[in-house]
Amino acid sequence: MLRPFIDAHVHLNTNTQTKLQLAAQYDAYFVSINTDIPFFIDLQAQQEMITTLNKSAQRSFFITSFDTQYWNTPRWLPHAMEQIKAGIAAGAKGVKIWKNIGMDENLKDAQGNFVLLDDARFDPIFQYLSDAGILLINHQGEPRNCWLPLEEMTVASDRNYFAAHPEYHMFKNKHYPSYETHMAARDRVLERYPKLNYVGLHLFSMEYDLDEVAKRLDRFPNTKTDLAERICHVQLQAMQDWKKVRQFFIDYQDRIIYGTDVIDDGSTSAETIAAKLEQLWKYHWEFFATDHIMEAPEFTGSFKGLNLPQPVLKKIFYSNAVATYKLDLPQTDF
């Protein structure tokens, strides 16, 4: 493993020390992304958790967010702006918008239409972030598999997730916006705010085809993407066209950020979370750094590791996160 490195997409919502001990062992750092998720602790508590964790080990940074509890009332925008500004003042490295925009029955306009990312009511937020040079981090929509029947999904992790969370399985919710509608709304925002610094999480939610990710990175030069919970999709494509996948990471080496999307919410033990992090870190490093023949639990078949050059690995696993999130860490030469 590279040392130091950054897992730049996690959700650290418990005050347990085992994960911090593991991070010290590997010289790893975390970017914990606060998110307005119904089954998470609230946003203020998520922020306070990182402060608490950093009292024992300075290895965690955080991204702030805002909620929608006052939606369709005059209080909504002032409340959201207050949350954003307070989070940034407390040290947040950016602002997160989650998939509930466009996928929540409670977020509709006066005509009963789903509110999407390009709704004009978000414009003051985007304008503020753009003018202030504050990073926007966005989980827009879901993997394209979300709009398919379970048996047609390409990877087991998606089948398992949407079987367990039918409320987000859009194949069963046909009155919700389509996959294409979500992607188009996101693209329109980026067109309207070309100076907005933006990370399209989860490979821009276009994980099924790295060519589509490349098109967005080319079209929107102030954007980057992360790999969180989508590396199996990359591995599936590597099995099909190894050279193309490898070249994608070389061509866009300055625009890709490593992360696991591990959720530490207390539903599993601290030891289990640490073991999961360690297993993923080693497994992902093997895929990106070696040419070993590997297998993935999410699909059948084998594929070869990408064996990326060391300078590319250093960017993906460390330097890009430091630069993008403006982390208080050295841009080391390793």
Side-chain angles (χ1 to χ4, degrees):
M1 285 292 300
L2 184 73
R3 295 169 190 256
F5 80 95
I6 299 168
D7 188 339
H9 191 140
V10 294
H11 303 279
L12 305 184
N13 295 338
T14 71
N15 182 21
T16 57
Q17 297 299 303
T18 311
K19 59 183 173 285
L20 299 180
Q21 294 164 1
L22 178 75
Q25 177 184 339
Y26 282 87
D27 200 10
Y29 294 85
F30 298 109
V31 178
S32 188
I33 301 182
N34 296 354
T35 308
D36 184 26
I37 295 180
F39 51 86
F40 277 13
I41 56 178
D42 67 35
L43 290 172
Q44 184 62 34
Q46 291 177 53
Q47 178 176 310
E48 291 171 356
M49 185 62 66
I50 300 305
T51 300
T52 299
L53 290 171
N54 279 337
K55 289 178 181 177
S56 57
Q58 290 282 332
R59 291 198 170 270
S60 303
F61 303 90
F62 77 97
I63 304 296
T64 194
S65 189
F66 56 91
D67 60 46
T68 56
Q69 64 172 309
Y70 299 115
W71 188 250
N72 281 330
T73 76
R75 191 175 176 185
W76 176 75
L77 180 60
H79 173 70
M81 291 297 297
E82 180 181 348
Q83 288 180 300
I84 290 168
K85 292 178 180 179
I88 296 299
K93 302 301 182 179
V95 176
K96 164 78 175 288
I97 294 184
W98 192 48
K99 68 183 182 184
N100 58 334
I101 308 303
M103 301 185 79
D104 186 338
E105 285 275 11
N106 297 315
L107 295 177
K108 293 184 177 180
D109 62 21
Q111 290 72 44
N113 301 309
F114 280 92
V115 170
L116 293 164
L117 197 67
D118 63 342
D119 187 285
R121 281 171 285 187
F122 294 115
D123 283 348
I125 292 176
F126 298 142
Q127 191 66 61
Y128 171 74
L129 298 179
S130 180
D131 291 345
I134 297 170
L135 188 69
L136 175 66
I137 298 95
N138 178 216
H139 176 169
Q140 179 64 28
E142 281 284 63
R144 192 176 65 165
N145 279 337
C146 178
W147 281 262
L148 299 174
L150 291 175
E151 63 272 15
E152 294 182 21
M153 293 184 182
T154 55
V155 295
S157 52
D158 284 348
R159 287 191 291 274
N160 296 337
Y161 178 82
F162 293 115
H165 297 278
E167 70 274 21
Y168 295 126
H169 187 189
M170 292 300 101
F171 178 76
K172 294 184 175 181
N173 297 283
K174 297 185 185 298
H175 64 290
Y176 280 61
S178 69
Y179 172 78
E180 292 77 13
T181 298
H182 281 284
M183 298 302 102
R186 186 265 322 283
D187 290 353
R188 284 192 292 270
V189 169
L190 296 176
E191 287 172 352
R192 292 209 303 253
Y193 298 95
K195 295 182 180 180
L196 182 65
N197 293 317
Y198 178 92
V199 177
L201 301 173
H202 309 296
L203 286 170
F204 273 85
S205 292
M206 310 192 92
E207 69 300 315
Y208 70 98
D209 188 350
L210 292 179
D211 286 341
E212 291 298 322
V213 181
K215 288 177 185 177
R216 281 12 182 235
L217 292 170
D218 290 342
R219 182 176 169 189
F220 305 115
N222 282 340
T223 66
K224 295 181 181 179
T225 192
D226 87 354
L227 299 166
E229 196 53 51
R230 302 296 183 265
I231 291 174
C232 64
H233 294 270
V234 176
Q235 293 169 330
L236 181 61
Q237 290 170 75
M239 184 171 70
Q240 300 161 348
D241 192 339
W242 183 87
K243 289 183 179 179
K244 185 183 86 168
V245 170
R246 186 175 190 271
Q247 193 61 47
F248 169 83
F249 284 91
I250 293 173
D251 290 344
Y252 297 98
Q253 60 186 270
D254 297 311
R255 314 277 295 278
I256 303 167
I257 300 168
Y258 175 70
T260 60
D261 204 11
V262 166
I263 296 174
D264 173 28
D265 62 358
S267 61
T268 56
S269 70
E271 291 73 22
T272 300
I273 290 295
K276 182 177 182 180
L277 285 166
E278 184 173 32
Q279 184 271 324
L280 288 174
W281 293 345
K282 289 181 176 180
Y283 178 64
H284 293 157
W285 179 257
E286 182 180 9
F287 173 60
F288 288 108
T290 79
D291 60 358
H292 296 171
I293 302 301
M294 302 177 65
E295 294 182 351
E298 292 87 0
F299 57 87
T300 302
S302 60
F303 51 89
K304 186 169 70 170
L306 298 182
N307 195 26
L308 294 172
Q310 281 293 310
V312 176
L313 294 167
K314 292 170 184 176
K315 291 177 181 179
I316 293 171
F317 280 83
Y318 184 81
S319 299
N320 290 347
V322 172
T324 302
Y325 295 116
K326 298 179 181 177
L327 304 182
D328 305 319
L329 295 171
Q331 277 285 12
T332 176
D333 293 329
F334 298 89

